[in-house]
DNA sequence: AATTCGGGGCG
DNA sequence: CGCCCAGAATT
């Protein structure tokens, strides 16, 4: 029995029941694939259910505000996915009359849809013969064929896409793609796979050469940078506060936060008070403050560690764009901020 | 080709 | 602590 048949038989016996596998609706499949980018199934699942419930069609998503989409996305990370989702939904509605692109070539033109996602939608929704190559597929192929080409290089990307294309079951591309990914997620998993029960154990090069824990090869990523964040939590007598949108490009773009002052290092109260906090709308030359957290709250991201302090500043008056603290949870915010909002007794 | 984008889970 | 996750866009 060949590679594809073994995988498909294994899949039929071991697959999980997942909601996006029960539909051919390209919009729903698209939503699931964007949500699942760099995200484990268990983490993405509740977000998928909420998005389907709140935005049942591409028209609902296109007509929504970006802020409400980001709010529903809150906590999932990589927020450009949500912004691109909205951009592409509007394109599909306004330019394609709501007709979803139905082939790889057109799908990959959508913002946020690259080779993997275009292949996934094209095969799952439209039965196009296009091989998916995600993290699972890299692992399965590199191990089974004993390939040590680094997967995060141009050469590796080309080599594995070509190999996957040569292996796909052209009669059932959707099932093959699901099968190889599920196999990577459950059987040929990153750590401590149980090769003794693997249906491919007799022909797996990595198992034979004891390379299972070595493959796939991945070039090391860059080191993390450290930053020091000081959030200014103003509170006036009416329990209003300042909460503003991050408009700059970069991390957490278009999410909301308290006014932020970065510093070179962690500040104590005296050093903080000496900061020249400049604001046209706010005279805070003489304010009283207290420190919410004595020790820095360390928020760790893939390539940044954020050492954070929240400074509570009680003032008599705030500019008119101040909002009631009760409404803070209506806005999309980074986990770092929303955790504070949920914790702090306003 | 290298970097940037989040957050959570796991050994 | 480092690596991984149904990757893509930007530099």
């Amino acid at each position: 029995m060949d590679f594809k048949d073994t995988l498909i038989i294994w899949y039929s016996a071991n697959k999980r029941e997942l909601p996006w596998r029960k539909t051919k609706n390209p919009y729903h499949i698209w939503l699931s694939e964007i949500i699942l980018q760099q995200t484990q199934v268990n983490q993405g699942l509740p977000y998928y259910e909420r998005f389907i419930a709140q935005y049942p069609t591409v028209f609902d998503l296109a007509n929504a505000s970006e802020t409400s989409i980001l709010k529903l996305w809150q906590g999932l990370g990589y927020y450009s996915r949500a912004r691109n989702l909205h951009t592409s939904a509007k394109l599909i509605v306004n330019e394609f009359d709501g007709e979803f692109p139905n082939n790889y070539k057109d799908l990959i033109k959508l913002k946020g849809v690259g080779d993997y996602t275009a292949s996934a939608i094209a095969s799952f929704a439209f039965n196009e013969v296009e091989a998916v190559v995600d993290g699972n597929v890299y692992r399965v192929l590199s191990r089974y064929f004993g390939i040590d080409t680094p997967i995060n290089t141009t050469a590796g990307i080309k080599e594995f896409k070509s190999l996957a294309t040569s292996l796909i079951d052209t009669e059932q591309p959707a099932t093959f793609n699901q099968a190889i990914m599920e196999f990577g997620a459950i059987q040929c998993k990153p750590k401590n796979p149980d090769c003794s029960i693997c249906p491919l154990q007799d022909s797996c090069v990595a198992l034979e050469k004891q390379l299972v824990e070595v493959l796939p090869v991945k070039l090391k990523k860059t080191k993390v940078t450290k930053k020091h964040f000081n959030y200014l939590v103003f509170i006036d007598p009416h329990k209003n506060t300042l909460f503003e949108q991050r408009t700059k490009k970069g991390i957490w773009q278009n999410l909301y936060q308290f006014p932020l002052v970065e510093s070179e290092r962690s500040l104590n109260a005296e050093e903080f008070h000496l900061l020249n906090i400049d604001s046209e709308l706010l005279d805070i030359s003489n304010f009283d403050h207290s420190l919410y957290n004595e020790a820095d709250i360390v928020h760790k991201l893939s390539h940044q560690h954020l050492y954070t302090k929240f400074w509570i500043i009680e003032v008599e008056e705030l500019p008119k764009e101040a909002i009631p603290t009760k409404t803070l949870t209506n806005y999309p915010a980074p986990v770092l901020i929303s955790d504070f909002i949920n914790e702090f007794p306003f």
Side-chain angles (χ1 to χ4, degrees):
Chain A
M1 192 155 44
D2 66 9
F3 183 78
K4 64 172 169 21
D5 293 334
T6 304
L7 282 182
I8 287 172
I9 288 172
W10 176 92
Y11 176 65
S12 67
N14 295 282
K15 67 177 179 182
R16 295 167 287 184
E17 295 292 329
L18 297 172
W20 46 83
R21 289 185 178 151
K22 298 177 178 173
T23 180
K24 288 279 186 183
N25 183 327
Y27 166 67
H28 289 184
I29 292 172
W30 172 56
L31 265 181
S32 75
E33 293 301 337
I34 302 298
I35 287 171
L36 291 171
Q37 287 170 4
Q38 292 295 287
T39 303
Q40 298 195 357
V41 165
N42 286 336
Q43 187 188 4
L45 196 44
Y47 285 86
Y48 174 78
E49 305 282 14
R50 290 194 287 264
F51 266 85
I52 296 293
Q54 186 159 335
Y55 307 117
T57 72
V58 71
F59 298 94
D60 299 310
L61 187 63
N63 290 333
S65 69
E66 182 184 275
T67 295
S68 57
I69 294 171
L70 283 171
K71 182 62 190 177
L72 202 56
W73 198 272
Q74 177 176 302
L76 201 52
Y78 285 164
Y79 296 92
S80 66
R81 291 184 290 171
R83 299 192 304 267
N84 290 338
L85 208 56
H86 193 211
T87 299
S88 293
K90 286 189 288 188
L91 178 72
I92 291 167
V93 165
N94 296 328
E95 303 298 326
F96 308 156
D97 205 24
E99 199 72 19
F100 214 91
N102 65 356
N103 60 80
Y104 176 92
K105 181 174 67 67
D106 291 332
L107 284 162
I108 204 168
K109 294 176 186 168
L110 298 176
K111 262 219 168 31
V113 174
D115 176 73
Y116 163 76
T117 304
S119 302
I121 301 170
S123 60
F124 299 157
F126 305 110
N127 231 37
E128 187 173 340
V129 181
E130 191 69 47
V132 295
V133 183
D134 73 335
N136 294 305
V137 176
Y138 280 120
R139 189 166 52 253
V140 171
L141 296 183
S142 66
R143 284 176 176 169
Y144 183 73
F145 292 98
I147 300 169
D148 62 1
T149 311
I151 62 174
N152 54 344
T153 60
T154 305
I157 292 166
K158 265 186 68 177
E159 181 175 1
F160 284 98
K161 174 77 179 186
S162 167
L163 179 55
T165 300
S166 75
L167 295 166
I168 193 171
D169 188 330
T170 57
E171 297 300 312
Q172 33 184 344
T175 305
F176 174 85
N177 281 340
Q178 292 282 8
I180 190 169
M181 287 195 287
E182 189 78 337
F183 184 78
I186 293 178
Q187 170 60 41
C188 196
K189 55 186 187 175
K191 294 293 176 187
N192 304 322
D194 185 359
C195 299
S196 72
I197 61 168
C198 180
L200 292 169
Q201 58 182 283
D202 291 338
S203 41
C204 177
V205 173
L207 181 58
E208 181 192 347
K209 298 185 175 176
Q210 299 187 26
L211 295 173
V212 172
E213 296 295 338
V214 178
L215 298 174
V217 173
K218 195 172 184 177
L219 267 39
K220 280 199 262 293
K221 42 193 166 191
T222 56
K223 63 174 187 295
V224 300
T225 62
K226 298 178 178 180
K227 292 184 174 179
H228 295 274
F229 280 8
N230 300 274
Y231 283 112
L232 313 183
V233 184
F234 293 103
I235 305 177
D236 76 2
H238 306 291
K239 293 188 184 300
N240 293 323
T241 191
L242 293 181
F243 210 49
E244 52 192 31
Q245 193 168 29
R246 290 179 67 97
T247 52
K248 289 190 310 245
K249 289 182 60 177
I251 190 177
W252 299 332
Q253 186 184 350
N254 293 5
L255 273 66
Y256 287 75
Q257 65 180 13
F258 300 103
L260 168 65
V261 177
E262 271 194 67
S263 53
E264 289 300 314
R265 53 192 177 79
S266 185
L267 303 180
N268 61 33
E270 187 178 353
E271 293 165 329
F272 174 74
H273 200 78
L274 291 174
L275 281 178
N276 200 0
I277 298 168
D278 195 15
S279 172
E280 299 174 359
L281 298 166
L282 198 64
D283 177 15
I284 50 173
S285 55
N286 184 19
F287 60 81
D288 234 0
H289 66 263
S290 59
L291 177 54
Y292 170 70
N293 55 311
E294 188 60 39
D296 283 318
I297 295 171
V298 186
H299 190 69
K300 296 184 176 183
L301 306 176
S302 313
H303 56 292
Q304 288 184 34
H305 287 184
L306 308 177
Y307 295 78
T308 307
K309 284 196 165 95
F310 291 89
W311 301 90
I312 315 303
I313 307 172
E314 296 190 17
V315 294
E316 283 306 311
E317 202 170 342
L318 284 171
K320 61 179 182 302
E321 61 265 31
I323 63 163
T325 56
K326 282 205 183 309
T327 65
L328 279 172
T329 54
N330 296 341
Y331 298 83
V335 167
L336 174 63
I337 304 292
S338 67
D339 281 354
F340 169 82
I341 292 170
N342 292 330
E343 181 74 18
F344 187 77
F346 283 106

